[in-house]
Structure formats: C-alpha cells, structure tokens
Amino acid sequence: MIDWPVTMSDKNDDDSDASIALQTRPKTKRPPLYKVMLLNDDYTPMEFVVHVLERFFGMNHAQAFEIMLTVHKKGLAVVGVFSHEIAETKVTQVMDFARRHQHPLQCTMEKE
C-alpha cells in the first residue's frame, strides 16, 4: 500500500494540523564524472587523431583539429567528460580502433 501525503483538501474541516503527514524524499546524488584524455605519441598521424575525435566524440573538423594540436603540443588533452560507463566505453572504442589501424594512440580516463 502506498502512503500518500495528506493535503489540506484531503482533510475534514474538524481535523487538526497535527494529522498532516509530510514525506521527505532522499536527495539523489549525481554520479561522479570522468575525464577522457588522449595522450600524445611520436607515431600516430595527426589526421588519425582528428578522425578519432570526429568519430567517437562528435566534434566537427575544426574542433577536432584544435584538440589534436593541444594533444601534440601539451602531451595530452581532455576530449570529454562523461559518466563512468560512457567514459569507459569511449576509451575502449578509441583503443580498439587505434589497434585495428596499428597506431599506438593512448586514451585514458580519470575521475574529475
């Protein structure tokens, strides 16, 4: 049986305010987010990195090119922030795709 909160319209006029039941909802906590990062290496072609960013992270060519340059110059770049399951899937997809094309591109994730 479901206990619904009593409202003023449910009460008889002769009931006291003490009969009103209040129900509190537990606050739901947002799941932790994870940063997905690409790491630079000396062998993966820049065009391949741009393709990965477009294909797996939905970036347009200009966005992908800018992120690729950041990876190249700084050694790594955050390419997205996702829930754990999505981040894990993205890392796996990128790593599998890179291996199939015989590139040593590394993709990692860490808690934000």
Side-chain angles (χ1 to χ4, degrees):
M1 178 175 201
I2 299 174
D3 289 331
W4 297 102
V6 177
T7 63
M8 293 304 281
S9 61
D10 294 337
K11 291 177 33 165
N12 293 335
D13 288 336
D14 58 343
D15 284 351
S16 69
D17 285 339
S19 66
I20 296 176
L22 297 177
Q23 220 173 19
T24 58
R25 286 186 175 183
K27 293 210 176 190
T28 53
K29 210 164 120 182
R30 288 195 175 270
L33 296 177
Y34 291 79
K35 299 184 288 189
V36 174
M37 298 168 289
L38 284 182
L39 295 109
N40 189 42
D41 64 74
D42 294 332
Y43 303 101
T44 304
M46 292 179 174
E47 298 81 24
F48 184 79
V49 175
V50 169
H51 180 69
V52 163
L53 293 167
E54 291 170 344
R55 179 173 178 162
F56 297 106
F57 297 95
M59 296 181 188
N60 65 38
H61 188 75
Q63 292 169 320
F65 191 81
E66 284 298 315
I67 296 290
M68 176 276 298
L69 284 178
T70 301
V71 172
H72 182 69
K73 291 176 183 174
K74 296 190 176 182
L76 74 122
V78 174
V79 295
V81 179
F82 308 96
S83 68
H84 184 270
E85 293 78 14
I86 293 174
E88 198 170 52
T89 300
K90 299 268 186 200
V91 169
T92 301
Q93 288 174 329
V94 169
M95 295 294 287
D96 289 348
F97 189 70
R99 297 302 156 263
R100 280 198 312 273
H101 290 85
Q102 300 177 341
H103 295 300
L105 182 65
Q106 294 292 306
C107 185
T108 62
M109 62 186 263
E110 69 179 36
K111 202 169 189 176
E112 190 174 46

